[in-house]
């Protein structure tokens, strides 16, 4: 529904992975729902995240070996798959963060110069 | 990379992956619902709210599947399975389609397979990529001697080359007559001598070509040095099989070649058939040093064919440059009439005419044949496309439902195309063994023709190699797409409503669809007509070659051929005088006997004409011997022969062309004859006689230009003794035989006597017969495909319009009306197609005639004969016959049942 989404920011493609990795690094072992909830909380609901799109990103990251998943139980004894960041993931996080900062810095410079 | 592997793994573990995904999504939804419940929502609503919050579950699943593995492959596999089931459920259709495709693809693969086995495959040596033939280029003319090298040149190159790991020389196939070096051999000490063929090669021949002896050994270097001192021989596998019956003790035995005992030291492996240009069968190899003893008729010195093997790490270009330089350096001090400018290193081929002109001819023939089989394949495709169209119409309901459910038309088209490619794939699988079989039988029939002139070729390796299989694969896919695309596209353009209700097309709708069908039918008819006409032309060619008068007597004119070592020894003139005295011999002559396959042409300027003419060298008495007639003037005299007088005798059409409306006697023709060492000289000749026209060059057309020159004195492999018999054939031949025996008994084993009819003429006619057979088979194939196609289409038309027919009958239509309304329009495309095929044949003929100015146009012969009318009538009859059964069905439609027809 367009009116609802008007105020939200769509996630840039490719950054979802970065966000997930960062979240896992800071929060430790989490399941998918918790990650989504945390994101909503931090972005104060500004982030337009379809919970369904989170899932493919998790699969991707797992295939790349950046996160590892294992089935477990929540506090309320429901089963869920818990993900945690791996060594590979940590290295990738550092690298991706650096690149993001570089790019956004460049973009910032370009945009301010135009003014 | 890691991701790629993971995705690949998930492709295979599809079931597990699906379950895992379902589990995760379920757990996620449960957690979201739990959150809502804790906020106070009742469980039912919480669950729904969870789904809403999650977003589209199915879409998420799709995204997941995309990320998890290669979706397109999964879809592909599923489509393939579906296509397979579909084909399985319609066995009749599948069978017909696969058979049609197998036939179409089969002939195509046959031709390509033969081409590959003969021309694309290299010689059966150990390292074909690095093995090359040496070829030299002259400043002034390209010719057959481009592969000739003198022994001294060979020595020099061998000693000084740094880029070639080895150079070998072979003697015996270049200019020693058809079949090569022939010797008289006796086996196992028996006194009977037979002709066998062999080659003389350098000692390193087998080593450089990477062959290991099947039994025994090959030549040693020292066996090449001392002239005449190493009588050793290596047998070919064929010889070992034929003459020694695969005797394991053959090595060590001796055979006598030209009287000298040679020790058999080894047997070559089965697949090594030598390095000749045209791989005729022969029996042995001997060292170069024995040349003098094997071929005593050798004038001055021999020419060798050279092959080399490029060293590892050296490129062919480098080797070529160095070899060229070396030879030019060597020849710098020699005096050449036509200097050599360069050497190239040519890739080897199994069959290699060598001469550029002949090679171009062969390529041209192969291309033409390939186009023809592609046409047949096209007809098969049109057939199957029509069948698919018909089938598509009956699958409307299924496709309509799928489209309504949201499947994109692209997806459906892809799936239908997959069915088509699967069909053609099945056809290809059936076609491959078919093509190997037919290739072998085609080869067999040609070989049978060669055997009539005592030659044969070993069967090449027809097993499909990677090239043939790749070609087959590409052809199958292309064919599948070709015939499947239009019907697939057509199937998805539906009126969904009507399709889903399962209604057949009513009056108006079928007009649109029938245009494509009409086009397909017309193209089939066109191809069939074209092929019928072409094959008719081939058959009439054959009939001409068999029936037409060659201009000389073939039954009673005999040729006496002396082969092998005796060739030099025998005095043909003395023999001739002996035979001339016999009462059973009417006339004798010496010269180049007419062979029905002549291509010795020399440039001539005579009167207004400046062109190449056929030329033969003959002695006095030739025309009497061959039963030719003098229109004007006379034949040669003995003195003219002996003095090499500058006179000539020409045929009637030559006279007509060069000096129309004048008397040719006494006129001068200037001919440029080949002299020694490729020097060309022009000389004037006075016309002293005009004889009747002959069809000597190809048995079908009259030779447009032909001159006869005096000669026959010097021994020459092309010059034979001819005689004309009188009276009873058996008696005459016996008399000739005993006369020869009395004169020189030892001559008999190397002698061959045959009438012109039984000799080369029979071989040429045999070749034409095979060609006519091939053309006939192709035409029959095309017509069969057309019959099946027409029948299928007509059946379909009738079944589609059954309701309409019922209504017409109920309204009082008679059989005639029905025919006119239903059947005839269906046949219209066939007639149109026939017209197209006819004009294509006319165009083809005109083009062929324009490129070969000297030949008679096929046009007036093809279209003037009843044969053409017969072919057209045949085609029409075939079309009518094919539609007979459906027509009867149409006429027998019961209106009540038809009106209720769904």
């Amino acid at each position: 529904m367009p009116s609802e989404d008007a105020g939200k920011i769509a996630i840039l493609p490719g950054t979802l992975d970065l966000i997930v990795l960062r979240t896992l690094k800071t929060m430790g072992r989490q399941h998918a729902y918790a990650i989504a909830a945390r994101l909503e909380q931090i972005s104060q609901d500004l982030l337009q995240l379809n919970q369904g799109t989170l899932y493919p990103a998790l699969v991707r990251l797992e295939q790349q070996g950046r996160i590892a998943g294992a089935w477990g139980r929540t506090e309320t004894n429901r089963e869920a798959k818990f993900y945690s960041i791996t060594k590979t993931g940590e290295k990738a996080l550092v690298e991706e963060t650096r690149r993001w900062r570089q790019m956004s810095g460049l973009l910032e410079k370009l945009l301010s110069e135009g003014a | 990379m890691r991701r790629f592997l993971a995705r690949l793994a998930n492709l295979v573990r599809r079931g597990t992956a699906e379950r895992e995904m379902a589990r995760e999504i379920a757990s996620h939804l449960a957690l979201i619902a739990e959150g809502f419940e804790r906020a106070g929502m009742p469980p039912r609503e919480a669950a729904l709210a969870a789904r809403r919050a999650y977003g589209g579950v199915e879409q998420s699943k799709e995204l997941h599947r995309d990320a998890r593995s290669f979706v397109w492959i999964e879809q592909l596999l599923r489509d393939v399975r579906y296509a397979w089931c579909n084909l399985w459920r319609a066995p009749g259709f599948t069978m017909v389609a696969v058979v049609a495709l197998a036939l179409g693809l089969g002939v195509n693969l046959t031709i390509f397979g033969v081409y590959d086995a003969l021309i694309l495959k290299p010689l059966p040596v150990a390292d074909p990529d690095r093995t090359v033939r040496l070829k030299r280029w002259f400043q002034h003319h390209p010719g057959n001697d481009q592969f000739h090298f003198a022994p001294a040149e060979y020595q020099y190159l061998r000693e000084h080359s740094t880029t070639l790991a080895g150079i070998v020389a072979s003697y015996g196939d270049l200019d020693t007559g058809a079949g090569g070096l022939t010797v008289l051999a006796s086996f196992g000490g028996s006194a009977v001598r037979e002709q066998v063929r062999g080659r003389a090669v350098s000692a390193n021949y087998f080593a450089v070509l990477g062959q290991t002896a099947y039994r025994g050994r090959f030549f040693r270097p020292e066996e090449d040095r001392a002239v005449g001192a190493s009588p050793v021989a290596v047998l070919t596998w064929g010889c070992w099989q034929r003459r020694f019956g695969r005797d394991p003790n053959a090595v060590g035995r001796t055979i006598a070649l030209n009287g000298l005992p040679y020790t058999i030291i080894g047997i070559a492996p089965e697949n090594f058939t030598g390095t000749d240009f045209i791989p005729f069968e022969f029996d042995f190899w001997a060292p170069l040093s024995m040349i003098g003893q094997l071929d005593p008729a050798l004038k001055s010195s021999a020419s060798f064919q050279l092959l080399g093997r490029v060293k590892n790490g050296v490129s062919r270009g480098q080797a070529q440059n160095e070899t060229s330089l070396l030879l030019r350096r060597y020849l710098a001090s020699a005096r050449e009439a036509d200097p050599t400018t360069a050497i190239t290193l040519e890739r080897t081929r199994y069959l290699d005419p060598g001469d550029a002109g002949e090679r171009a001819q062969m390529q041209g023939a192969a291309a033409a044949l390939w186009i023809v089989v592609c046409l047949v394949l096209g007809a098969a495709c049109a057939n199957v496309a029509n069948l698919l169209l018909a089938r598509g119409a009956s699958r409307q309901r299924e496709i309509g439902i799928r489209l309504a459910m949201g499947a994109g038309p692209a997806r459906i088209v892809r799936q239908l195309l997959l069915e088509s490619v699967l069909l053609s794939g099945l056809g290809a699988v059936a076609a491959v063994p078919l093509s190997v079989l037919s290739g072998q039988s085609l080869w067999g029939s040609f070989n049978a023709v060669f055997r009539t002139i005592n030659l044969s070729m070993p069967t090449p390796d027809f097993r499909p190699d990677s090239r043939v299989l790749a070609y087959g694969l590409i052809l199958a896919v292309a064919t599948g797409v070709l015939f499947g695309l239009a019907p697939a596209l057509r199937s998805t353009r539906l009126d969904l409503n009507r399709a889903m209700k399962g209604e057949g097309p009513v009056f108006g709708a079928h007009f649109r669809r029938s245009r494509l069908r009409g086009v397909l039918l017309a193209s089939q008819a066109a191809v069939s007509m074209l092929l019928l006409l072409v094959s008719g032309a081939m058959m009439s060619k054959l009939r001409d070659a068999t029936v037409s008068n060659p201009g000389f007597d073939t039954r009673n004119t005999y040729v006496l051929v002396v082969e092998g070592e005796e060739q030099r020894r025998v005095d043909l003139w003395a023999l001739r005088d002996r035979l001339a005295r016999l009462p059973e011999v009417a006339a004798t002559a010496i010269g180049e006997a007419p062979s029905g396959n002549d291509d010795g042409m020399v440039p001539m300027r005579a009167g207004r004409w400046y062109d190449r003419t056929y030329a033969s060298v003959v002695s006095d008495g030739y025309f009497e011997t061959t039963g030719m007639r003098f229109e004007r003037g006379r034949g040669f005299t003995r003195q003219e022969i002996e003095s090499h007088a500058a006179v000539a005798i020409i045929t009637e059409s030559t006279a007509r062309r060069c000096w129309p409306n004048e008397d040719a006697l006494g006129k001068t023709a200037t001919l440029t004859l080949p002299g020694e060492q490729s020097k060309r000289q022009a000389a004037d000749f006075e016309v002293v006689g005009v004889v009747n026209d002959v069809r000597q060059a190809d048995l079908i057309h009259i030779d447009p230009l032909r001159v006869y020159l005096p000669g026959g004195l010097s021994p020459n492999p092309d010059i034979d003794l001819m005689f004309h018999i009188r009276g009873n054939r058996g008696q005459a031949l016996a008399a000739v035989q005993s006369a020869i025996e009395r004169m020189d008994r030892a001559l008999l084993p190397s002698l061959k006597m045959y009438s012109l009819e039984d000799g080369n003429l029979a071989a040429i006619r045999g070749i034409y017969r095979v060609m006519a057979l091939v053309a006939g088979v192709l035409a029959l194939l095309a017509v069969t495909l057309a019959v099946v196609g027409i029948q299928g289409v007509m059946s379909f038309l009738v079944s589609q319009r059954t309701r309409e027919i019922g209504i017409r009958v109920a309204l009082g239509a008679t059989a005639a009306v029905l025919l006119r309304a239903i059947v005839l329009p269906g046949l219209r495309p066939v007639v149109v197609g026939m017209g197209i095929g006819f004009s294509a044949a006319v165009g083809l003929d005109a083009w062929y005639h324009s490129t070969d100015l000297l030949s008679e146009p096929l046009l007036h012969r093809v279209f003037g004969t009843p044969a053409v009318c017969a072919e057209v009538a045949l085609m029409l009859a075939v079309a009518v016959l094919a539609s007979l059964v459906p027509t009867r069905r149409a006429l027998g439609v019961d209106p009540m049942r038809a009106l209720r027809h769904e």
Side-chain angles (χ1 to χ4, degrees):
Chain A
M1 279 140 282
S3 50
E4 263 185 39
D5 303 341
K8 302 213 181 193
I9 306 166
I11 290 201
L12 288 174
T15 55
L16 185 54
D17 291 19
L18 186 57
I19 294 174
V20 168
L21 283 175
R22 176 73 187 158
T23 311
L24 284 179
K25 172 101 169 119
T26 43
M27 286 176 67
R29 205 162 153 270
Q30 290 298 322
H31 52 69
Y33 175 53
I35 298 175
R38 166 95 177 139
L39 284 177
E40 270 183 24
Q41 181 196 32
I42 290 203
S43 72
Q44 283 144 3
D45 225 20
L46 268 182
L47 211 52
Q48 177 198 20
L49 175 60
N50 198 330
Q51 301 228 7
T53 61
L54 187 57
Y55 192 29
L58 290 172
V59 170
R60 212 169 31 239
L61 287 168
E62 196 177 8
Q63 281 180 341
Q64 285 166 335
R66 293 181 182 178
I67 60 178
W71 284 96
R73 294 263 160 194
T74 64
E75 314 97 34
T76 51
N77 211 22
R78 289 195 191 270
E79 71 160 5
K81 196 165 182 187
F82 286 81
Y83 293 96
S84 46
I85 193 168
T86 61
K87 273 245 183 32
T88 319
E90 291 191 7
K91 274 198 286 208
L93 177 60
V94 168
E95 178 58 32
E96 293 288 316
T97 314
R98 188 189 64 79
R99 279 212 306 180
W100 170 256
R101 295 227 162 96
Q102 201 175 39
M103 195 194 70
S104 65
L106 182 63
L107 208 62
E108 182 60 43
K109 206 153 48 142
L110 287 171
L111 289 173
S112 58
E113 249 180 67
Chain B
M1 186 59 210
R2 179 181 179 150
R3 182 146 185 246
F4 182 78
L5 289 174
R7 285 176 103 184
L8 214 57
N10 273 331
L11 191 64
V12 183
R13 299 173 23 222
R14 201 169 151 273
T16 325
E18 282 285 307
R19 276 197 297 277
E20 182 86 7
M21 172 180 77
R23 192 179 171 197
E24 267 208 69
I25 292 183
S27 95
H28 197 152
L29 284 172
L31 288 174
I32 302 178
E34 190 187 38
F36 280 133
E37 275 179 37
R38 249 184 289 153
M41 250 194 229
R44 196 80 183 282
E45 290 198 23
L48 288 173
R51 284 195 101 90
R52 273 202 301 272
Y54 190 83
V57 173
E58 285 309 316
Q59 273 86 315
S60 171
K61 279 192 182 172
E62 283 295 321
L63 281 173
H64 175 258
R65 288 191 191 110
D66 264 335
R68 160 181 96 202
S69 73
F70 304 104
V71 184
W72 60 272
I73 294 188
E74 280 185 14
Q75 274 189 344
L76 196 69
L77 289 175
R78 227 174 323 159
D79 284 345
V80 168
R81 223 180 327 217
Y82 185 58
W84 178 257
C85 288
N86 262 332
L87 290 180
W88 196 249
R89 265 187 282 144
F93 159 79
T94 312
M95 184 78 84
V96 172
V98 168
V99 167
L101 286 169
L103 288 175
L105 288 169
V107 285
N108 207 314
L109 273 178
T110 307
I111 298 302
F112 186 79
V114 170
Y115 185 76
D116 179 75
L118 292 181
I119 308 214
L120 293 180
K121 280 199 178 134
L123 282 176
V125 295
D127 197 357
D129 294 325
R130 309 205 132 256
T131 310
V132 290
R133 264 200 239 271
L134 275 70
K135 180 175 181 177
R136 70 202 299 170
W137 295 84
F138 297 106
Q139 191 164 39
H140 293 306
H141 83 283
N144 280 341
D145 41 353
Q146 278 180 290
F147 295 93
H148 293 198
F149 290 88
E153 290 169 343
Y154 167 57
Q155 274 306 115
Y156 186 84
L157 284 174
R158 188 170 165 177
E159 279 162 25
H160 293 90
S161 174
T162 59
T163 51
L164 294 174
I167 310 184
V168 303
S170 162
Y171 172 77
D173 65 330
L174 281 180
D175 45 10
T176 42
L181 176 62
T182 319
V183 299
L184 283 173
S186 49
F187 295 91
S190 81
V192 174
R193 304 216 286 171
E194 342 167 18
Q195 288 178 356
V196 298
R197 299 196 182 93
R199 305 281 179 268
V201 295
S202 52
N204 61 352
Y205 184 75
F206 294 97
V208 169
L209 296 177
Q211 301 298 318
T212 29
Y214 179 76
R215 281 254 157 81
R217 63 169 180 87
F218 292 134
F219 302 126
R220 285 195 278 259
E222 55 267 22
E223 279 161 346
D224 211 7
R225 289 204 195 110
V227 172
S230 334
V232 291
V234 174
L235 296 180
T236 61
W237 176 278
C239 176
W240 184 54
Q241 185 169 19
R242 277 191 308 270
R243 296 188 195 270
F244 288 85
R246 297 213 205 172
D247 181 356
N249 299 321
V251 177
R253 293 234 197 99
T254 52
I255 52 173
L257 300 174
N258 283 351
L260 187 66
Y262 281 67
T263 317
I264 299 175
I265 56 168
I267 298 169
E270 183 172 8
N271 70 334
F272 184 65
T273 46
T275 51
D276 292 355
F277 284 97
I278 300 184
F280 285 117
E281 291 249 22
F282 56 91
D283 301 288
F284 68 88
W285 288 277
L288 275 184
S289 54
M290 305 302 298
I291 278 188
Q293 201 261 335
L294 291 170
D295 193 359
L298 207 47
K299 309 172 280 213
S300 53
S301 67
S303 318
F304 297 158
Q305 185 208 153
L306 299 187
L307 292 116
R309 188 165 175 177
V310 180
K311 275 196 187 142
N312 285 330
V314 176
S315 77
R316 205 148 62 96
Q318 277 178 290
Q320 187 167 292
N321 289 337
E322 196 214 20
T323 318
S324 197
L325 219 65
L326 280 176
L327 189 68
R328 287 222 301 279
R329 195 192 309 159
Y330 175 77
L331 292 173
S333 49
R335 188 176 54 89
E336 277 183 294
D338 194 358
T340 307
T341 52
I343 288 200
T344 52
L345 301 181
E346 306 274 322
R347 193 146 273 152
T348 63
R349 288 175 175 171
Y350 188 76
L351 184 82
D352 197 348
D355 179 62
E358 278 184 32
R359 197 185 287 185
Q361 256 183 4
M362 210 170 60
Q363 305 275 47
L369 202 56
W370 185 74
I371 290 178
V372 169
V373 293
C374 281
L375 283 178
V376 172
L377 183 60
C381 285
N383 221 339
V384 182
N386 253 335
L387 288 175
L388 276 178
L389 269 183
R391 193 144 169 272
S394 56
R395 287 171 74 179
Q396 275 175 48
R397 195 134 183 248
E398 167 209 334
I399 295 180
I401 293 178
R402 288 171 73 187
L403 282 174
M405 285 243 305
R411 176 90 196 267
I412 296 192
V413 168
R414 203 172 62 207
Q415 193 255 316
L416 288 175
L417 272 182
L418 211 66
E419 271 186 42
S420 315
V421 172
L422 201 61
L423 265 179
S424 60
L426 287 173
V429 164
V432 168
L434 202 74
S435 72
V436 172
L437 279 173
S438 50
Q440 281 173 339
S441 57
L442 193 67
W443 183 257
S445 32
F446 268 115
N447 222 4
V449 169
F450 282 129
R451 263 195 265 272
T452 62
I453 46 174
N454 217 20
L455 289 171
S456 89
M457 292 202 212
T459 314
D461 185 6
F462 279 120
R463 277 175 316 195
D465 62 353
S466 54
R467 241 187 319 255
V468 171
L469 290 176
Y471 177 76
L473 188 69
I474 294 175
L475 199 67
V477 171
T479 308
V481 170
L482 183 70
F483 69 73
L485 196 59
L489 289 174
R490 188 52 70 85
S491 309
T492 50
R493 259 192 275 141
L494 297 174
D495 179 350
L496 274 179
N497 249 334
R498 290 238 306 283
M500 300 240 311
K501 277 197 265 172
E503 278 180 17
V506 287
F507 278 64
H510 71 258
F511 282 123
R512 213 166 28 103
R513 261 191 292 261
S514 71
R515 202 177 19 232
L516 179 62
R517 191 166 45 234
V519 164
L520 289 173
L521 211 55
S523 55
Q524 264 185 281
V527 169
S528 304
M529 186 85 243
L530 180 64
L531 283 182
L532 258 184
L533 286 173
V534 166
S535 97
M538 291 259 110
M539 304 240 200
S540 69
K541 232 185 168 164
L542 168 67
R543 198 203 52 204
D544 284 350
T546 322
V547 153
S548 61
N549 182 8
F552 45 85
D553 185 298
T554 55
R555 309 210 81 97
N556 292 329
T557 311
Y558 276 77
V559 181
L560 195 83
V561 178
V562 181
E563 283 185 348
E565 152 205 1
E566 305 292 340
Q567 208 175 43
R568 187 184 208 202
R569 204 164 63 77
V570 73
D571 184 355
L572 281 178
W573 289 84
L575 197 56
R576 178 198 177 183
D577 287 337
R578 238 337 158 76
L579 293 181
R581 277 185 254 146
L582 291 175
E584 291 89 351
V585 171
T588 57
I590 293 184
E592 292 172 7
S595 64
N597 180 26
D598 216 352
D599 51 9
M601 291 187 111
V602 292
M604 170 178 83
R605 192 185 312 126
R608 332 169 328 168
W609 209 268
Y610 184 24
D611 204 337
R612 294 167 84 78
T613 175
Y614 291 113
S616 324
V617 170
V618 300
S619 72
D620 57 302
Y622 173 79
F623 301 99
E624 291 80 4
T625 310
T626 50
M628 289 170 70
R629 215 182 41 243
F630 281 99
E631 306 288 336
R632 312 241 340 112
R634 56 168 180 81
F636 298 127
T637 63
R638 196 65 176 251
Q639 294 98 304
E640 280 168 343
I641 303 292
E642 283 165 1
S643 62
H644 298 285
V647 292
I649 294 180
I650 61 178
T651 61
E652 217 182 341
S653 45
T654 316
R656 246 203 323 267
R657 260 178 238 251
C658 300
W659 299 283
N661 305 321
E662 295 174 60
D663 184 5
L665 281 188
K667 296 281 194 297
T668 315
T670 316
L671 290 121
T672 313
L673 296 172
E676 278 297 307
Q677 275 295 81
S678 46
K679 273 194 302 261
R680 306 257 152 152
Q681 308 152 328
D684 288 343
F685 291 81
E686 183 196 340
V687 176
V688 296
V690 179
V691 290
N692 61 287
D693 279 329
V694 288
R695 289 172 222 262
Q696 201 164 311
D698 66 3
L699 291 185
I700 298 178
H701 307 110
I702 294 180
D703 291 357
L705 295 171
R706 178 172 284 277
V707 301
Y708 295 92
L709 299 170
L713 278 180
S714 38
N716 180 331
D718 293 329
I719 302 255
D720 300 310
L721 174 59
M722 294 169 269
F723 60 92
H724 192 106
I725 59 174
R726 186 193 283 149
N728 180 294
R729 188 182 307 274
Q731 278 178 342
L733 290 179
V736 169
Q737 189 121 3
S738 50
I740 298 175
E741 208 172 344
R742 264 174 307 187
M743 191 178 123
D744 184 352
R745 194 189 197 104
L747 209 53
L748 277 179
S750 6
L751 225 56
K752 263 205 313 228
M753 242 179 345
Y754 49 81
S755 67
L756 286 179
E757 179 74 33
D758 296 331
N760 290 359
L761 263 62
I764 303 297
R765 291 199 182 119
I767 291 185
Y768 282 133
R769 194 169 300 126
V770 174
M771 281 181 5
L773 191 72
V774 169
V777 165
L778 288 176
L780 194 70
L781 210 61
V783 170
T784 310
L785 287 172
V787 165
V788 172
I790 294 175
Q791 206 257 351
V793 167
M794 290 305 291
S795 296
F796 173 68
L797 262 182
V798 167
S799 72
Q800 287 289 62
R801 297 172 74 173
T802 307
R803 209 195 273 175
E804 174 194 341
I805 294 173
I807 293 178
R808 282 183 190 261
V809 169
L811 288 179
T814 60
V817 170
L818 275 182
L819 269 170
R820 207 181 21 219
I822 310 282
V823 176
L824 286 185
L827 282 182
R828 200 162 4 127
V830 175
V831 177
V832 169
M834 281 171 60
I836 296 177
F838 199 84
S839 11
V842 171
L844 206 70
D845 190 68
W847 170 79
Y848 179 74
H849 171 53
S850 72
T851 57
D852 194 5
L853 290 163
L854 280 185
S855 75
E856 271 179 22
L858 225 55
L859 204 76
H860 74 249
R861 190 166 348 107
V862 172
F863 293 102
T865 56
V868 171
C869 310
E871 282 156 5
V872 173
L874 175 69
M875 205 56 215
L876 281 171
V878 152
V880 167
L881 228 71
S883 36
L884 210 60
V885 169
T887 313
R888 282 194 59 199
R889 198 145 37 97
L891 294 177
V893 162
D894 175 6
M896 285 317 290
R897 287 199 23 233
L899 287 170
R900 272 185 269 129
H901 179 77
E902 285 292 303

